[in-house]
Amino acid sequence: MVLLITISLSVCAQEIVPLNSSATQVWGVKPKKEVSDMSTFWKPDFKQQDWVKAVVPGTVYSSYVEAGLEKDPNFADHIWKADRAKFDQSFWYVTSFEMPKSFNKEKIWLNFNGVNRKADVYLNGTKLGSLNGFMERGKYDIGSIVNRNQKNILAVLVDIPQKPMANSASPTYVSSAGWDWMPYVPGLNSGITDKVFLSNSGSLTIQDPWVRTKLPTNARADLSIALAIKNTENEEQTAYLNGLIMPGNIRFVKKIKVDANDETSFLLDKREFEQLAINNPKLWWPNGYGAPNLYTCELNVVVNDQVSDTQTIKFGIKSYTYDTIGQVFHLYINGKRIFVKGGNWAMSEYMLRCRGEEYDTKVKLHKEMNFNMIRNWIGSTTDEEFYEACDKYGIMIWDDFWLNSNPVLPRDVNNFNGNVIEKIKRFRNHPSIAVWCGDNEGWPEAPLNNWLKENIATFDGNDRYYQANSHADNLSGSGPWMNKDPRYYFTQYPTGLGGNDGWGFRTELGTAVFTNIESFKKMIPKENWWPRNDMWDKHFFGTWAFNAGADHYEQSINSRYGKATGIEDFCKKAQLLNIETNKAMYEGWLDHIWEDSSGIMTWTSNASNPTFVWQTYDYYYDLNGAFWGVKKACEPVHVQWNPVNNEIKIVNTSSNDVNELTAEASIFNMDGKQVSKYNQVAKVNSLSNAAVTAFKLPFQGDKVNLALNKPCVASSSSYSDVAMVNDGKDDTRWASNSTDNEWIYVDLDKKEIISGVKLNWEQAYAKVFKIQLSNDAKNWNDAVAQVNGKEGIQEIIFSEEKEARYVRILGIERGSYWGYSLWNFEVFAGGVPNPDLSSVHFLKLKLSDMKGQLISDNLYWRGNNKKDFTALNQLPKAKLETRYTEKTVGGKHFIEAKVTNPKSAKTIAFAVRVQPLKASNGEQILPHIIDDSYFTLMPGESKNIKIEFKSDLIKNDSVKLSVVPYNN
């Protein structure tokens, strides 16, 4: 009978009454120094008339901004000029509330989920306690203090973090004092930064329930549920703990006893409840590998047939495992090795104004980019909604704690450790957390490193991996953070700061990313639009974000696409650079999948603030070129080009093989006509979690040998004439003496543009060597600082062409007892045009299934001069035909469009940008989800586009679809 009664009662969820800011819940905020007597708060006639209306959750500074008392910090240099002293002090928060009439249980709780950095909490003149650190929760029994028939006054005194910040002030939002991507935020983001609410329960309450899942096989999951029950009565209590897991309608009940004023832990598993062994479970998978299935576990504790407390936990059935074979970090889920494609979140929003549904939007955009991981950099995103959205969309989390590389301990290590434990307990049920990380680009100082390990072992059961340092210990470093030529990302090796050589697992790799023109105008006053000036630097396009290389970025635009004539032209050309760089970053790693490479995360994917660097969508949710480059590269089944060796590969980062595919490559000149002699077609099978080579493109201009029969000089020759190394014959060779530091160089007779070398090593190969260039055969510069050699043919293509007369191979370490022995030494010419191709031409790739359905397509623009695309500016205007339909369903507006470049067109439509605008004023409709943009259409081609956004973004307005090619 008890079982039936308690299960029927399990639907009676614990009542929660928010005290967050709303139309009816008003908070005020005021500097502590302006409050001479806090006792006035508790007087019946207390008013907030001279208080600033506060935003809760939020910060003091953002409250002043919202109230219109501070200039818009997003615009111009307003936040740089804000009065820091005004906010870098303690503040009182005050509100009032009435007891909810529905609260009919004996215990009334006041709950805080987080403050930054410290707080004292008072109710009706009584101090309830203090909070210390943004993870520390406060739960206060206010039953004896609260007024049940009149208003109650709640006052909170908040202290700011104490400078210096990292790591001394941790746990806190360490970047609030300024970083190379965000400005100093007045008040250091201090305030009531998480939810405040009332709850009602009986005397038995559920504490930190934890659902763990084990997978003996993927066909069976063994669940265990750990929790504590707290008894606040002065006598022992007997109760029933009920559970309901859905889907599956899995029910269980346990009779429990809890001593007076005690807390007792319980563990429920299949030894006691066989139904907790679930057959054929719906597993949680990361994006691209399967559905992110979620379960709920509803628990209630019943005393005398009355529900005392209820909690509902969402969880996913999954099992993470890891290895570091070859000193490379590899991550597995449910037995499947996962190639990580992700991005860093520096913060959700630089002033902590991201709330609720906004997390859903931000994380969904990551799903749209085909990402499967977000790194929570220095643990600076603390809201539950972030974790919930990642669970929902299958985005794994690399979750940092609050330490930067400084060899400095927090002022209070015990408080720091307490917040660590709180974080683990609060978020451990989320299946999305894949890695806990101790320190950004450093190791936690003793004793914290061992404490973190023990905390994870104790409170998360070592279900996730602990990585002490975010860029070392089986990782390949971090950075660089500035744009490179696309070939760089394919060339051995893209250099990282710290860590091991190689592609490996890279937690940070980035580039400056300039916005579209519309967002630029939202940030910068008109008088500062053009030319580039210090106001741009206030949005981190300059010396503040020195790692982003703004000068180099601007030079790349001007040299690759032609010197910008104004801000509109600069923004337009920037998107082409954004596309090619960001696509190449991911494709370079994918090209080496599992051959060293195991994952990459861009710095950054989320725009925390209005900036011109490090983003894929901007602060206003406009999707820039980086978004489209990343989205294309990260397709689950993807066809791509290696610009170094001209191989076309099919990369499959999904759980399934896809067989009987057709890969095609076509080359088009600027007039839109196909150059059929370069066409390639191949039948391929795309293996799960692998890159398969389909064919190599016949760009013969890349292989002109400048070294053939040119004079050679060597440090020694123990076998025959040095000239045999480049006589064009495969059976003659140069061999050195049997010592390490031997060399050979070729004299090209004059300065030449060089793209790389080709070496054919005999068994006596160079284990480690350098490629060096010179114009006088005396002063040598490294073209490639270190190469790991191998027996046989080895092509080393430079990430950028070099100019030199002399090319030297400098042996550092031999691979055998013998000296160095080369059959052939070739030097490739750079910038040699291919016959029949215009100065800029287009490589179009298609991958189709056996029914002819398109699986993946890809387009690259390629120059005979690899870094000169200025001819794109001579493309004739394209006249496109666009048709679209609209409908509104369930609060969302949907657009289906077809964009066509007519068959009769005399030109291609290059980099076509599509976006919905308000018809009345041309204003962008943001945020929106769109499946393609910045695409290219040859004559006779069409593209179908789907767009969706919330219908309340246009209200009574209508939509105008903007479709604009680069060449218009």
Side-chain angles (χ1 to χ4, degrees):
M1 175 62 73
V2 172
L3 174 62
L4 295 173
I5 291 173
T6 55
I7 289 296
S8 68
L9 286 170
S10 69
V11 296
C12 303
Q14 181 188 43
E15 185 174 0
I16 301 293
V17 174
L19 295 182
N20 302 328
S21 297
S22 67
T24 56
Q25 187 69 51
V26 179
W27 286 81
V29 64
K30 194 173 190 178
K32 175 187 175 184
K33 65 184 182 183
E34 294 181 14
V35 177
S36 57
D37 183 5
M38 64 177 288
S39 66
T40 59
F41 297 167
W42 328 121
K43 294 180 179 179
D45 60 349
F46 172 72
K47 304 288 185 186
Q48 292 184 15
Q49 291 174 343
D50 58 344
W51 290 58
V52 174
K53 188 176 180 180
V55 177
V56 175
T59 69
V60 173
Y61 179 61
S62 63
S63 297
Y64 277 69
V65 170
E66 183 70 18
L69 299 174
E70 291 289 315
K71 291 183 177 180
D72 179 5
N74 296 338
F75 187 68
D77 56 358
H78 292 165
I79 195 169
W80 298 84
K81 293 180 175 178
D83 182 0
R84 296 180 183 180
K86 180 178 176 181
F87 299 97
D88 288 357
Q89 58 178 309
S90 300
F91 278 80
W92 279 105
Y93 280 80
V94 176
T95 191
S96 64
F97 65 89
E98 294 182 357
M99 265 290 298
K101 298 190 184 308
S102 56
F103 277 20
N104 54 18
K105 296 175 183 174
E106 60 264 42
K107 294 294 178 181
I108 302 165
W109 305 97
L110 173 63
N111 302 270
F112 284 78
N113 275 0
V115 300
N116 188 36
R117 167 64 172 77
K118 296 181 180 181
D120 295 328
V121 181
Y122 299 82
L123 180 65
N124 297 334
T126 299
K127 184 175 180 179
L128 302 179
S130 298
L131 297 170
N132 191 353
F134 55 27
M135 281 293 109
E136 185 171 332
R137 292 168 290 179
K139 186 172 184 177
Y140 305 110
D141 181 354
I142 61 172
S144 62
I145 302 169
V146 73
N147 297 315
R148 295 179 179 269
N149 299 311
Q150 63 189 62
K151 74 176 182 179
N152 297 272
I153 303 297
L154 173 60
V156 183
L157 178 61
V158 174
D159 290 330
I160 70 168
Q162 183 181 346
K163 291 182 280 188
M165 293 286 277
N167 295 322
S168 299
S170 288
T172 188
Y173 304 97
V174 297
S175 56
S176 300
W179 215 269
D180 63 356
W181 55 270
M182 71 170 277
Y184 185 107
V185 178
L188 300 172
N189 277 319
S190 58
I192 302 174
T193 51
D194 212 323
K195 300 177 184 65
V196 185
F197 57 96
L198 298 171
S199 58
N200 188 208
S201 76
S203 57
L204 293 186
T205 55
I206 300 169
Q207 309 293 313
D208 295 319
W210 175 23
V211 180
R212 296 180 70 187
T213 63
K214 299 294 183 183
L215 290 173
T217 76
N218 284 359
R220 192 186 93 223
D222 294 338
L223 272 59
S224 64
I225 303 164
L227 73 159
I229 302 294
K230 185 174 184 178
N231 181 7
T232 55
E233 287 292 308
N234 293 323
E235 59 184 31
E236 178 189 85
Q237 295 200 67
T238 299
Y240 290 90
L241 176 64
N242 299 283
L244 171 63
I245 294 174
M246 295 293 288
N249 197 33
I250 300 164
R251 298 170 181 264
F252 51 90
V253 61
K254 180 180 178 68
K255 187 176 181 179
I256 61 173
K257 288 185 179 180
V258 185
D259 290 340
N261 297 306
D262 197 10
E263 183 173 299
T264 302
S265 296
F266 298 94
L267 177 67
L268 290 70
D269 59 24
K270 69 176 184 178
R271 292 173 295 181
E272 185 176 2
F273 301 101
E274 63 180 14
Q275 61 268 42
L276 293 181
I278 301 175
N279 291 315
N280 300 312
K282 297 179 181 295
L283 302 181
W284 188 90
W285 290 98
N287 183 33
Y289 288 87
N293 296 296
L294 292 172
Y295 285 74
T296 60
C297 176
E298 184 174 308
L299 300 171
N300 64 45
V301 59
V302 177
V303 182
N304 298 325
D305 293 341
Q306 297 295 318
V307 175
S308 180
D309 195 15
T310 298
Q311 285 202 34
T312 299
I313 310 102
K314 283 188 177 181
F315 68 97
I317 295 177
K318 86 298 176 214
S319 175
Y320 285 108
T321 51
Y322 315 82
D323 75 51
T324 55
I325 294 171
Q327 293 187 302
V328 176
F329 174 77
H330 301 104
L331 181 153
Y332 301 73
I333 187 166
N334 309 329
K336 185 74 173 180
R337 186 162 56 170
I338 305 298
F339 185 87
V340 170
K341 302 171 291 187
N344 286 259
W345 278 32
M347 288 181 75
S348 58
E349 200 271 347
Y350 74 124
M351 288 170 49
L352 305 185
R353 294 179 293 185
C354 180
R355 300 291 168 202
E357 283 190 28
E358 200 169 356
Y359 279 107
D360 191 276
T361 300
K362 288 175 181 284
V363 176
K364 186 175 183 180
L365 287 172
H366 285 67
K367 177 181 182 293
E368 290 292 311
M369 283 187 283
N370 300 303
F371 277 166
N372 56 33
M373 180 174 276
I374 291 171
R375 180 184 170 207
N376 184 9
W377 178 81
I378 313 192
S380 298
T381 298
T382 55
D383 291 316
E384 184 80 30
E385 292 91 343
F386 166 68
Y387 294 86
E388 290 171 346
C390 289
D391 291 346
K392 174 181 176 181
Y393 290 114
I395 305 297
M396 299 179 293
I397 301 172
W398 175 291
D399 209 346
D400 289 5
F401 292 100
W402 317 288
L403 298 171
N404 192 40
S405 56
N406 304 322
V408 174
L409 281 170
R411 291 185 184 89
D412 185 340
V413 293
N414 292 306
N415 171 254
F416 179 93
N417 198 56
N419 275 258
V420 168
I421 294 170
E422 283 284 271
K423 173 170 178 166
I424 295 170
K425 286 182 175 180
R426 286 175 68 167
F427 299 134
R428 63 190 172 187
N429 285 307
H430 291 280
S432 50
I433 297 175
V435 176
W436 299 110
C437 185
D439 194 314
N440 176 58
E441 298 179 346
W443 287 270
E445 294 291 299
L448 291 185
N449 198 28
N450 285 331
W451 287 6
L452 286 164
K453 290 178 186 177
E454 289 299 319
N455 290 337
I456 290 163
T458 303
F459 300 104
D460 197 35
N462 280 331
D463 287 350
R464 281 88 164 192
Y465 188 82
Y466 173 63
Q467 174 74 28
N469 184 317
S470 74
H471 75 175
D473 296 342
N474 304 302
L475 305 178
S476 64
S478 54
W481 299 270
M482 61 188 293
N483 67 291
K484 301 285 187 177
D485 185 281
R487 290 167 293 173
Y488 170 84
Y489 304 102
F490 293 81
T491 305
Q492 185 178 339
Y493 292 113
T495 305
L497 174 68
N500 302 326
D501 288 336
W503 283 271
F505 194 105
R506 189 73 57 92
T507 54
E508 291 184 33
L509 182 70
T511 170
V513 174
F514 214 84
T515 64
N516 285 303
I517 184 63
E518 296 88 347
S519 294
F520 177 88
K521 291 179 178 180
K522 293 174 184 175
M523 303 180 204
I524 304 296
K526 190 170 184 178
E527 61 269 22
N528 299 113
W529 283 2
W530 192 260
R532 179 180 160 192
N533 55 76
D534 183 61
M535 189 64 74
W536 294 26
D537 193 15
K538 294 301 190 291
H539 293 263
F540 295 91
F541 197 75
T543 54
W544 282 104
F546 62 94
N547 278 332
D551 292 348
H552 177 69
Y553 185 93
E554 182 179 14
Q555 291 163 8
S556 297
I557 289 175
N558 291 336
S559 62
R560 296 172 84 87
Y561 297 105
K563 187 171 178 60
T565 58
I567 188 55
E568 288 85 357
D569 192 42
F570 186 87
C571 288
K572 184 175 76 167
K573 289 173 177 174
Q575 304 319 310
L576 301 184
L577 187 66
N578 292 342
I579 291 169
E580 60 168 344
T581 304
N582 286 272
K583 182 162 66 170
M585 279 169 46
Y586 286 86
E587 289 184 338
W589 255 251
L590 288 163
D591 190 72
H592 298 86
I593 183 172
W594 309 134
E595 297 180 14
D596 180 28
S597 167
S598 65
I600 171 180
M601 289 187 277
T602 189
W603 178 266
T604 64
S605 52
N606 171 54
S608 306
N609 55 310
T611 181
F612 300 130
V613 293
W614 299 326
Q615 56 197 328
T616 56
Y617 53 83
D618 67 33
Y619 185 78
Y620 305 99
Y621 294 110
D622 192 11
L623 312 179
N624 55 52
F627 181 96
W628 299 107
V630 169
K631 178 181 171 73
K632 177 58 64 180
C634 293
E635 295 172 314
V637 180
H638 174 64
V639 58
Q640 67 177 50
W641 167 55
N642 181 324
V644 173
N645 62 21
N646 290 314
E647 285 185 346
I648 303 301
K649 286 186 177 180
I650 316 304
V651 186
N652 183 340
T653 52
S654 77
S655 290
N656 302 309
D657 295 345
V658 186
N659 296 323
E660 298 184 56
L661 299 175
T662 301
E664 303 175 65
S666 305
I667 306 295
F668 294 83
N669 277 332
M670 288 183 61
D671 59 6
K673 293 180 180 178
Q674 191 173 157
V675 187
S676 58
K677 65 183 284 186
Y678 290 98
N679 289 359
Q680 299 282 304
V681 179
K683 298 290 185 181
V684 293
N685 293 330
S686 178
L687 304 178
S688 172
N689 254 351
V692 176
T693 300
F695 45 77
K696 183 177 284 193
L697 296 174
F699 292 135
Q700 295 306 315
D702 293 350
K703 303 301 182 185
V704 174
N705 181 13
L706 296 171
L708 184 64
N709 294 319
K710 296 291 175 65
C712 288
V713 178
S715 56
S716 65
S717 181
S718 65
Y719 173 73
S720 59
D721 187 355
V722 175
M724 289 184 175
V725 79
N726 63 339
D727 60 5
K729 298 177 183 179
D730 292 331
D731 58 352
T732 59
R733 63 188 175 94
W734 161 75
S736 75
N737 291 337
S738 298
T739 53
D740 281 338
N741 296 309
E742 301 286 338
W743 48 262
I744 183 171
Y745 70 77
V746 59
D747 180 356
L748 303 178
D749 291 337
K750 66 180 190 306
K751 287 184 182 179
E752 298 277 9
I753 303 298
I754 302 164
S755 64
V757 302
K758 180 180 179 180
L759 308 174
N760 187 358
W761 293 101
E762 205 231 356
Q763 288 181 338
Y765 67 97
K767 185 177 180 181
V768 180
F769 63 95
K770 291 183 176 184
I771 304 169
Q772 297 182 315
L773 306 177
S774 176
N775 288 319
D776 59 8
K778 295 178 182 179
N779 299 294
W780 297 94
N781 296 310
D782 293 344
V784 182
Q786 179 172 313
V787 182
N788 297 323
K790 62 181 181 179
E791 181 183 349
I793 293 174
Q794 191 169 12
E795 284 191 6
I796 301 101
I797 306 300
F798 303 157
S799 59
E800 294 187 8
E801 285 82 6
K802 312 287 185 180
E803 186 178 41
R805 174 173 172 172
Y806 302 94
V807 183
R808 181 166 80 165
I809 306 301
L810 173 63
I812 298 173
E813 182 181 349
R814 290 169 294 152
S816 72
Y817 168 80
W818 308 102
Y820 301 104
S821 181
L822 270 173
W823 293 109
N824 287 301
F825 179 6
E826 298 181 31
V827 177
F828 294 143
V832 179
N834 287 272
D836 306 320
L837 296 183
S838 53
S839 59
V840 176
H841 41 277
F842 305 92
L843 167 58
K844 189 175 182 65
L845 304 179
K846 288 175 60 178
L847 186 67
S848 306
D849 65 15
M850 65 179 73
K851 296 180 180 179
Q853 296 293 313
L854 187 67
I855 301 296
S856 171
D857 64 352
N858 206 344
L859 181 125
Y860 305 85
W861 45 99
R862 183 181 184 277
N864 286 324
N865 179 332
K866 304 291 176 54
K867 296 189 291 185
D868 183 358
F869 307 115
T870 54
L872 291 170
N873 300 316
Q874 273 65 61
L875 283 169
K877 287 188 176 182
K879 296 181 179 180
L880 298 175
E881 297 173 356
T882 303
R883 297 178 181 177
Y884 60 96
T885 59
E886 302 176 62
K887 63 180 179 182
T888 301
V889 179
K892 287 189 176 181
H893 197 80
F894 297 90
I895 300 173
E896 292 191 6
K898 184 175 184 178
V899 181
T900 302
N901 191 17
K903 194 172 184 179
S904 59
K906 303 300 183 184
T907 185
I908 70 167
F910 177 60
V912 181
R913 183 187 181 198
V914 179
Q915 57 174 335
L917 308 176
K918 293 180 181 178
S920 62
N921 57 13
E923 182 182 310
Q924 291 176 294
I925 300 171
L926 297 171
H928 63 254
I929 301 295
I930 180 171
D931 55 9
D932 210 348
S933 191
Y934 285 102
F935 53 83
T936 295
L937 296 175
M938 303 301 165
E941 288 187 334
S942 297
K943 175 73 73 170
N944 293 318
I945 302 293
K946 293 182 179 179
I947 307 171
E948 68 174 73
F949 52 83
K950 290 183 179 179
S951 54
D952 60 8
L953 291 176
I954 55 172
K955 295 186 172 69
N956 297 322
D957 210 334
S958 56
V959 178
K960 173 186 176 183
L961 196 62
S962 171
V963 181
V964 181
Y966 177 88
N967 44 317
N968 279 23

